[in-house]
Amino acid sequence: MGSKKKRKHSQYFNDESSLEGSSEAQQSGIAATLARLKGPDIHNQHQESRNTTHNPAEDDGDEWTVVGRGGKKRKTNNYPALVYADLHKRQSSIKLVDLQNLVLYCLANGTSPQWIAVRHHAQVKKAVVLFVPGLERGMFNGSVALGTSSGSPEQHPKLSEEHGPPVNGNAFQNVPSIIATGLNHGISRTHASPDDYLPVRLTTESLPQPLKPLADCFEYVWPVKAPGDDRFSKVYSPLHHMLNSQLPKSQDQKAAEKAVKGAKPVNDQHWASKRTPITTFIASKEELRENDYVLHPAWFDPESEEEDEARRRAGARQTSDLGWVDTQVADLGASDGLEADSEQGSLTAGRTVLAMDCEMCTVEGGEAALTRISLVGWDGEVVMDELVKPDKPIIDYLTRFLLLKANPKTRFSGITPEKMAPVITTLADIQKRLLDILTPTTILVGHSLNSDLEALKLTHPFIIDTSILLPHPRGAPLKSSLKWLAQKYLGREIQKGHGSLGHDSIEDSRACLDLVKKKCEKGPEWGSMASTSETIFKRLSRAPRGGQHPASSAGGQGKTGAIIDHGSPEKNFGQMASFSIGCSTDAEVVQAVNRAVAGDSDGATIPGGGVDFTWARMRDLEAARGWSNNHRYDLIQMDTPLSQPDNPATESSPSELAEKVAATVSCISQVRASLPPCTLLVVYSGTGDPRDLARLQQMQRTFKQEYKTKKWDQLSVKWTDTEEQALKRACKKAREGLGFVTIT
């Protein structure tokens, strides 16, 4: 029987599919397995439902296979398809990274997706991703009215399913519906059901009129969880999470990371260093304020801001009559011009750089008081290392528990009664010495220096804080510990006493200094997300184009990409794309997508055949719904207030909203209709409604600012557990996005 099996390979190197193999045996992942268990009918139905120009008759010749002794021929179909099996149960919603991985799997031989099966993925020639903020789940279940003011099921048809009766009168049914906390906000439920994470089949009969065209373009609507942090009620940028890809790791790198306890060492073997002067990394006024620093008077305009800041400091008990001092810096430009006088290429740019770390203990009244200060110069030599006697008696030398939440740096001071017994140096003595040492040309380096400077009762304008310089992987307000940063970026273990010996402030100061030196050597992007991730455009540029063998891709041209957006997309991610096209309306976005996919007719800018990957954003619906404010939607944290604190988020009338939704859906349909065969189309909303979250975040910020300087009855905003729970619910709602996927 084996002698009768044969297969032609005349187009092996002329087709991308030959690089991956076209056999279903090569498909991996749970989704592919379940799809095969479901049987071939799903694929056949999916193929019949898609409106493509593909003609199977054109496949004559090299697609025939001899099967069995009788020599009967059957024709194979290598056309790509997305297949979802109803047998597949999920434990969580898919995320934006899952949509990104789907694109990389089809275009760059990435990891096989586990939430959906892709048949013959190597046959996918192009991918188009549309970011459409403004679409939300409530439009599909009737909780957001489209076309009328009433929300009855007769006027707002729900999505239909084939798995039993409605749940509590809702047309989202058992499997695979998204009920309650999924696509339905009308039902309050504490715990989500696994059914909430499954896609819902789209039918024209069940959709409101403005959404009906989507049923002709896509088979399912998927719940997609937006990036964020529920603990801190943050929603992160869906743009960044789609266009930034984690750097692939080799098996050796993965094995090495598993063998390391604690922070995984950063891999900067292929990092392109860019020497940068230290002045580039001085914290800005906004960064200092956000991280609870007491600002130096040099930051303020004497005519308009200095008086207000003086009143604020008086209310916060941070004035000179209470022991606070400011370094002798008249204005921020006092050290300008030093770069020209310094040696060319000098990292210090003519400045004096000092790293500082302090140790504190608890005194009577529960306050943290300075007990040790260490200063280290740029060359690593100790400039100052003094023990300091507090004004009040010490009641806790290690401060393990008392100030843990207020000031985590004071847990393990390493100070003992024996060490403090002969000390007579006071805080005033240290302040006097520091005023002589810290000049207008001095840059102060440290880790979370705000607590050190508060213990010193001192302000200085030129600060480099390693907790800001090297941000936490999950973003603000989280901060990485100095011990973690030293292990990850320096390969050094510090603070190994675990409290028995306490922290060594000189060791900590040198660690901060070495982190800053390495940042200056490597460049501004080192230690940020850019050191552990890359843009999807860069990732695709390493993937071979059609007709290229992987072995020769290093010398050939990789896959190309285009970014299309309102405004000027050539900035930021547009710099990494092969082409960027600016638009002012969604209609122009549709035309730009057609141009990017097909190429210019004369090849003037975009070569004929177009690019392999296109990312585009439609913003008309977002603007109409008030989801953005001056297009600040791209911020890592969507914290722009869009409505008044005492009023719920406003919305257009149902008829106006229906008109805007219909226009956006029409643009999506036009893009879908214009795509060539074997093109992956992904549409995602990014988030749910972010307006309540933005409103409550603004209230919380106002409360925190006023609480520092005002009494409770003087606060303009009260923040209680009621507001805290409302913030958590708003964050959950804002993270409920949706998505659509298909192959043309």
Side-chain angles (χ1 to χ4, degrees):
M1 181 175 179
S3 61
K4 288 291 186 90
K5 286 190 175 182
K6 59 182 180 179
R7 186 174 179 84
K8 296 182 179 181
H9 297 275
S10 60
Q11 295 181 347
Y12 185 81
F13 287 105
N14 294 328
D15 198 328
E16 276 187 273
S17 63
S18 60
L19 304 179
E20 302 285 337
S22 59
S23 172
E24 291 184 18
Q26 293 187 5
Q27 295 291 345
S28 61
I30 298 175
T33 303
L34 291 172
R36 289 196 288 273
L37 289 174
K38 183 71 177 178
D41 292 338
I42 298 179
H43 177 56
N44 295 336
Q45 294 171 7
H46 179 71
Q47 290 289 81
E48 293 172 2
S49 65
R50 287 190 289 108
N51 180 23
T52 69
T53 59
H54 178 65
N55 184 6
E58 297 176 358
D59 290 337
D60 290 342
D62 293 324
E63 297 297 337
W64 291 100
T65 304
V66 177
V67 180
R69 293 183 179 275
K72 293 183 179 179
K73 293 183 179 180
R74 68 177 179 86
K75 197 171 184 180
T76 61
N77 185 357
N78 288 343
Y79 203 85
L82 298 174
V83 182
Y84 166 74
D86 291 344
L87 297 175
H88 194 183
K89 303 297 182 182
R90 294 191 54 81
Q91 300 302 315
S92 62
S93 298
I94 64 172
K95 302 177 177 62
L96 286 185
V97 68
D98 295 314
L99 297 178
Q100 181 196 78
N101 287 341
L102 175 62
V103 174
L104 294 177
Y105 178 60
C106 293
L107 296 186
N109 196 25
T111 305
S112 173
Q114 301 298 303
W115 55 281
I116 197 169
V118 188
R119 291 185 173 177
H120 311 298
H121 70 280
Q123 296 284 1
V124 176
K125 308 301 181 185
K126 297 175 181 287
V128 174
V129 176
L130 298 180
F131 178 24
V132 190
L135 289 176
E136 65 173 315
R137 300 182 187 182
M139 296 177 178
F140 293 82
N141 64 27
S143 60
V144 175
L146 295 177
T148 63
S149 59
S150 172
S152 64
E154 291 78 10
Q155 293 172 316
H156 295 284
K158 312 293 194 298
L159 300 182
S160 65
E161 292 296 335
E162 304 169 358
H163 301 281
V167 177
N168 293 339
N170 192 298
F172 291 102
Q173 289 116 7
N174 299 333
V175 180
S177 64
I178 302 172
I179 56 177
T181 55
L183 292 183
N184 186 3
H185 292 297
I187 303 174
S188 177
R189 194 171 60 193
T190 304
H191 301 288
S193 164
D195 293 342
D196 299 343
Y197 310 129
L198 300 179
V200 176
R201 188 180 296 275
L202 297 176
T203 62
T204 55
E205 295 79 9
S206 62
L207 290 174
Q209 187 62 39
L211 299 175
K212 288 184 182 295
L214 291 177
D216 298 326
C217 300
F218 306 97
E219 190 173 3
Y220 292 101
V221 53
W222 288 81
V224 180
K225 190 172 184 179
D229 192 321
D230 290 333
R231 180 182 177 186
F232 295 98
S233 300
K234 297 291 184 180
V235 177
Y236 303 137
S237 169
L239 182 152
H240 285 72
H241 278 71
M242 175 59 76
L243 296 182
N244 263 331
S245 169
Q246 289 295 314
L247 288 170
K249 298 177 182 178
S250 65
Q251 294 297 328
D252 293 339
Q253 290 174 329
K254 293 179 181 178
E257 288 186 356
K258 288 183 179 180
V260 176
K261 294 182 179 180
K264 310 302 180 185
V266 65
N267 180 20
D268 54 9
Q269 180 180 359
H270 303 291
W271 184 263
S273 297
K274 181 181 179 181
R275 286 174 61 88
T276 307
I278 195 171
T279 52
T280 305
F281 306 115
I282 295 176
S284 65
K285 177 182 177 181
E286 291 73 21
E287 289 175 327
L288 294 175
R289 191 188 296 276
E290 289 173 1
N291 289 274
D292 299 324
Y293 279 84
V294 180
L295 298 182
H296 190 279
W299 282 108
F300 301 99
D301 186 330
E303 296 182 359
S304 59
E305 298 177 310
E306 197 172 75
E307 186 176 346
D308 292 338
E309 179 62 13
R311 284 197 298 266
R312 192 204 66 77
R313 288 185 62 172
R317 301 179 59 81
Q318 297 165 346
T319 55
S320 58
D321 57 330
L322 294 174
W324 280 78
V325 296
D326 305 312
T327 56
Q328 302 301 313
V329 180
D331 60 84
L332 299 180
S335 57
D336 289 348
L338 291 179
E339 290 89 344
D341 299 333
S342 62
E343 183 180 351
Q344 186 175 4
S346 171
L347 295 180
T348 60
R351 268 55 169 196
T352 301
V353 181
L354 297 175
M356 183 175 73
D357 187 64
C358 297
E359 304 295 349
M360 278 76 79
C361 292
T362 307
V363 298
E364 284 185 354
E367 299 175 352
L370 178 73
T371 51
R372 182 183 178 185
I373 177 174
S374 300
L375 282 177
V376 176
W378 183 256
D379 56 0
E381 295 296 321
V382 177
V383 176
M384 177 192 294
D385 185 27
E386 293 282 350
L387 293 174
V388 184
K389 182 179 180 179
D391 295 334
K392 299 179 181 179
I394 298 175
I395 61 174
D396 190 342
Y397 284 86
L398 296 180
T399 332
R400 292 174 184 268
F401 308 107
L402 189 58
L403 296 180
L404 178 59
K405 294 183 68 175
N407 189 357
K409 290 189 66 175
T410 63
R411 283 196 288 178
F412 309 122
S413 66
I415 304 299
T416 64
E418 292 76 17
K419 291 181 179 179
M420 295 299 298
V423 177
I424 61 173
T425 303
T426 65
L427 175 61
D429 297 330
I430 296 298
Q431 288 177 332
K432 184 177 180 180
R433 291 181 61 183
L434 288 177
L435 291 178
D436 293 333
I437 295 174
L438 302 179
T439 68
T441 63
T442 303
I443 297 175
L444 207 53
V445 174
H447 187 80
S448 294
L449 271 179
N450 57 306
S451 57
D452 297 326
L453 293 174
E454 188 170 352
L456 285 165
K457 294 186 177 182
L458 180 141
T459 67
H460 186 66
F462 307 121
I463 303 292
I464 296 180
D465 190 333
T466 51
S467 69
I468 303 174
L469 189 68
L470 302 169
H472 193 281
R474 290 196 290 163
L478 302 179
K479 291 185 178 181
S480 302
S481 68
L482 180 59
K483 180 177 182 178
W484 188 90
L485 292 175
Q487 185 175 1
K488 182 174 182 66
Y489 295 112
L490 302 177
R492 181 189 308 173
E493 291 192 28
I494 62 173
Q495 303 173 359
K496 298 175 67 175
H498 301 289
S500 59
L501 300 176
H503 294 178
D504 184 341
S505 54
I506 294 179
E507 178 187 50
D508 291 355
S509 297
R510 286 172 174 159
C512 290
L513 195 63
D514 290 341
L515 286 169
V516 173
K517 287 181 179 180
K518 197 163 186 180
K519 181 84 170 181
C520 293
E521 290 285 353
K522 296 292 186 179
E525 298 298 326
W526 183 84
S528 64
M529 286 291 293
S531 63
T532 58
S533 63
E534 61 184 349
T535 66
I536 192 172
F537 301 105
K538 186 175 181 180
R539 174 77 178 274
L540 292 173
S541 68
R542 298 198 304 269
R545 303 198 75 180
Q548 290 184 358
H549 192 277
S552 62
S553 61
Q557 181 184 10
K559 286 185 167 64
T560 55
I563 185 169
I564 300 166
D565 199 1
H566 289 223
S568 302
E570 63 272 7
K571 302 176 182 178
N572 300 323
F573 288 102
Q575 296 177 352
M576 304 301 297
S578 304
F579 307 97
S580 58
I581 304 175
C583 305
S584 57
T585 65
D586 285 355
E588 293 181 9
V589 171
V590 174
Q591 297 175 1
V593 171
N594 295 341
R595 178 188 172 195
V597 172
D600 293 329
S601 57
D602 56 358
T605 303
I606 303 178
V611 299
D612 302 286
F613 172 73
T614 303
W615 182 93
R617 172 163 52 175
M618 298 180 178
R619 309 199 68 168
D620 288 353
L621 180 59
E622 173 195 19
R625 301 196 67 188
W627 283 24
S628 66
N629 186 8
N630 296 327
H631 286 181
R632 291 178 59 188
Y633 192 79
D634 292 343
L635 297 178
I636 295 296
Q637 299 166 0
M638 297 188 308
D639 53 4
T640 305
L642 297 170
S643 57
Q644 297 299 320
D646 296 331
N647 298 324
T650 57
E651 182 64 277
S652 304
S653 67
S655 58
E656 293 174 340
L657 180 59
E659 182 180 351
K660 296 294 184 181
V661 171
T664 298
V665 170
S666 175
C667 290
I668 296 174
S669 300
Q670 292 176 47
V671 170
R672 165 67 177 80
S674 67
L675 298 179
C678 300
T679 299
L680 172 67
L681 174 62
V682 177
V683 178
Y684 71 105
S685 66
T687 69
D689 192 337
R691 292 170 294 181
D692 285 336
L693 176 63
R695 173 177 59 86
L696 289 165
Q697 285 177 334
Q698 178 61 32
M699 288 178 60
Q700 187 183 51
R701 281 192 299 272
T702 302
F703 169 77
K704 288 182 177 180
Q705 292 172 357
E706 294 184 354
Y707 187 74
K708 297 177 182 178
T709 59
K710 297 181 180 179
K711 297 181 180 180
W712 181 262
D713 56 353
Q714 297 176 333
L715 299 176
S716 63
V717 175
K718 301 292 196 307
W719 191 265
T720 65
D721 184 66
T722 301
E723 286 75 22
E724 185 67 27
Q725 295 304 316
L727 178 64
K728 292 185 180 298
R729 290 192 298 270
C731 179
K732 182 178 181 181
K733 179 180 178 181
R735 295 189 67 185
E736 292 176 342
L738 51 84
F740 311 86
V741 292
T742 191
I743 294 180
T744 60

